[in-house]
Amino acid sequence: MKILIKVGINMRDNKFRVWDTGGKRYWYFTSSEDLDPSLERIIKEGEIQKFSGLNDVNGVDIYEGDFLKVVFDDDEFDEYDEPMGVVKFGEEFRQIEDEPLDGWIISDGTKEGGEYLDQWDGAIEVVGNMYENEELLLTLKSDPSDPKPLELKFRVWDGKKIIYVSKDSGYRLVFEGGDWELEYKNEQYCTSKDPWCKLMQFSGATDINEKDIYEGDIVKNGLNEEEYKRKYPNDYKEYGFTLGEFVGISTYDAECSCWCIDNPKYIGVTMVHHLFCEIDMKTVEVIGNVHENEEIFRGLISE
């Protein structure tokens, strides 16, 4: 069997690799070689990634799906230690000026961000790929051109348990001015005037496990020290794991009209006041809430 693949305009060597989804490994080929029939399934079912025709500073072939970082001789450019993006091929990417990027690019994960791969020839290093190093996907930005609308959801603490309000739950919230009332099957269940009840809104963000983050949730950095070191090498170099060890409560700050993570023990301390917009929320993990996990909450406020 001979494999024929459509190669890009910048292809200088008809090589490609295939990610075997079953075997969890890469197979490397050239498009002109005769293949063993046992590999036909891998080619058919796997993910084909083409060779870009370029090598990194260490002579390593650069393929689609590889993550690259810029390499400088001078240590003062340590800020570039994080990957600059992932290698892709196509015409779907554009620069801010809406000029199309046709061919091999280094993408930052958005439709707006991309640079030609060959512009960085001789100054880039392969640091991993999208399948064998999934943690590198966290370094990509979300796509600002396709924002998700904020879903308006609420939950209520009734003094004993948390109730998630939805159409199928039988509960319904009624708002009037600054007051609210929770009904169950058209009967009043509790109101904002009941001191033991607490209304909590969905923040619009999800954690590292795709769990919705609500007001009152206790969250922490979901990365361990080694993962944090790889993702934030400059912060780790200057502060160690101090910034990565944050634990706090999801709170809406009315003064700045934004969601943040606060530790009540250190109110006003910048290092433990994390704005959602300044955090990669894909690294945050919900570990409980202030009502159902009192022991965690007390640990936050204890000396």
Side-chain angles (χ1 to χ4, degrees):
M1 174 185 178
K2 287 190 176 182
I3 298 299
L4 298 177
I5 60 172
K6 184 178 180 180
V7 298
I9 57 175
N10 291 335
M11 183 70 74
R12 300 164 195 169
D13 192 337
N14 295 341
K15 296 191 293 186
F16 65 100
R17 67 184 181 188
V18 178
W19 175 251
D20 181 359
T21 55
K24 302 297 182 183
R25 58 157 290 183
Y26 275 111
W27 296 82
Y28 290 80
F29 308 98
T30 64
S31 60
S32 60
E33 72 179 287
D34 290 316
L35 297 180
D36 188 295
S38 63
L39 297 177
E40 292 184 17
R41 178 195 60 81
I42 295 174
I43 299 293
K44 183 178 180 180
E45 300 178 2
E47 176 71 24
I48 295 177
Q49 296 177 329
K50 294 175 287 186
F51 173 50
S52 68
L54 295 178
N55 304 102
D56 75 353
V57 293
N58 301 311
V60 176
D61 290 346
I62 300 175
Y63 286 83
E64 285 183 287
D66 279 340
F67 278 81
L68 307 176
K69 76 171 184 178
V70 183
V71 178
F72 292 96
D73 294 330
D74 198 328
D75 290 338
E76 74 179 87
F77 293 101
D78 281 346
E79 61 183 293
Y80 293 97
D81 197 45
E82 291 190 15
M84 63 183 299
V86 63
V87 178
K88 293 190 176 184
F89 180 86
E91 300 178 354
E92 67 270 32
F93 305 95
R94 60 184 185 275
Q95 294 171 313
I96 295 177
E97 297 82 9
D98 284 333
E99 291 292 328
L101 289 171
D102 181 4
W104 290 99
I105 71 160
I106 305 172
S107 169
D108 65 2
T110 72
K111 292 181 180 179
E112 299 293 342
E115 298 186 61
Y116 282 114
L117 174 62
D118 58 9
Q119 289 180 336
W120 293 91
D121 189 15
I124 46 179
E125 180 181 18
V126 175
V127 294
N129 60 71
M130 61 190 297
Y131 288 115
E132 295 176 315
N133 310 95
E134 292 184 352
E135 71 278 0
L136 293 177
L137 294 172
L138 298 176
T139 66
L140 297 177
K141 300 176 182 178
S142 59
D143 188 353
S145 66
D146 187 24
K148 294 182 179 179
L150 176 62
E151 189 175 359
L152 197 61
K153 297 190 292 187
F154 295 91
R155 67 184 185 187
V156 175
W157 171 251
D158 69 356
K160 294 183 179 180
K161 65 181 182 299
I162 287 182
I163 298 168
Y164 290 83
V165 183
S166 67
K167 293 180 180 179
D168 300 327
S169 67
Y171 291 92
R172 185 169 74 102
L173 273 170
V174 179
F175 294 90
E176 185 174 348
D179 296 326
W180 57 267
E181 177 181 301
L182 180 66
E183 296 180 350
Y184 181 66
K185 295 183 177 179
N186 297 322
E187 296 289 335
Q188 186 184 94
Y189 185 84
C190 66
T191 74
S192 55
K193 297 179 181 179
D194 296 325
W196 57 86
C197 290
K198 175 67 176 177
L199 180 68
M200 294 166 283
Q201 185 176 345
F202 172 48
S203 68
T206 55
D207 75 350
I208 195 171
N209 301 310
E210 299 297 324
K211 184 176 182 179
D212 291 344
I213 301 176
Y214 280 82
E215 181 181 0
D217 276 339
I218 302 173
V219 300
K220 71 170 186 175
N221 185 354
L223 301 179
N224 60 40
E225 184 169 359
E226 191 59 35
E227 292 170 333
Y228 183 85
K229 181 179 179 180
R230 286 197 300 266
K231 183 170 176 58
Y232 303 107
N234 296 323
D235 286 345
Y236 187 84
K237 183 177 180 180
E238 186 170 357
Y239 303 108
F241 196 43
T242 303
L243 296 181
E245 290 183 303
F246 73 80
V247 179
I249 300 170
S250 173
T251 308
Y252 183 76
D253 189 333
E255 290 187 7
C256 65
S257 300
C258 61
W259 288 89
C260 61
I261 300 171
D262 270 331
N263 188 317
K265 183 178 177 181
Y266 302 104
I267 294 297
V269 180
T270 303
M271 286 178 62
V272 291
H273 180 81
H274 302 270
L275 301 180
F276 275 28
C277 60
E278 296 176 343
I279 302 174
D280 183 351
M281 297 305 291
K282 295 178 182 178
T283 68
V284 171
E285 182 179 14
V286 175
I287 59 174
N289 61 73
V290 297
H291 301 291
E292 295 178 313
N293 306 97
E294 188 176 348
E295 72 285 356
I296 302 178
F297 176 67
R298 290 189 179 278
L300 291 177
I301 62 177
S302 63
E303 294 295 334

